[in-house]
Amino acid sequence: MPRREQIADGKPISISIDVVSVVTAERERLQNALDAGNLIEIISQYPIRETPALDKIAKELGFQNREQYERAVRKLLMDDNEALTFVKSLFDTLESDIEAA
């Protein structure tokens, strides 16, 4: 990335990104996190809402779209205390993992 002085000079700056090496390194980092079961790294580096994963999940579960799936999950959590307690327990586990890290 250009430094502040280079930007202040106002001269053209060429930036080159080796996409193959960046993607390869990122795939390796994700695979290492998966292999290590490092859920914290995966969640923090790869927010599910910014991926097509929710669309795929919704489709595979038979929902028309992601919004319908999200509404169904919210309704389930409002209507079913056992489901809500289970989801909350997942966050308790995640918080414990974060504190330990």
Side-chain angles (χ1 to χ4, degrees):
M1 293 304 295
R3 293 188 306 269
R4 186 176 352 156
E5 300 82 28
Q6 293 172 305
I7 294 170
D9 286 345
K11 296 179 183 174
I13 300 169
S14 295
I15 299 174
S16 176
I17 300 172
D18 183 350
V19 175
V20 173
S21 66
V22 170
V23 170
T24 300
E26 193 59 31
R27 278 192 180 141
E28 185 176 314
R29 187 167 77 108
L30 176 57
Q31 190 61 55
N32 289 339
L34 288 169
D35 293 345
N38 191 340
L39 183 61
I40 295 168
E41 181 176 349
I42 295 167
I43 290 172
S44 65
Q45 296 300 313
Y46 307 98
I48 193 169
R49 288 176 106 18
E50 296 177 18
T51 72
L54 288 178
D55 294 318
K56 179 76 170 164
I57 291 168
K59 181 180 176 186
E60 292 296 319
L61 290 175
F63 291 96
Q64 292 178 358
N65 55 44
R66 175 178 161 174
E67 290 77 21
Q68 185 184 39
Y69 163 72
E70 289 175 345
R71 282 193 306 271
V73 169
R74 283 192 296 274
K75 180 162 178 30
L76 171 68
L77 295 176
M78 286 187 296
D79 294 347
D80 187 332
N81 278 337
E82 187 176 336
L84 180 60
T85 300
F86 171 73
V87 170
K88 285 181 177 180
S89 75
L90 295 175
F91 286 99
D92 290 341
T93 302
L94 184 60
E95 287 175 8
S96 298
D97 290 345
I98 290 171
E99 290 170 1

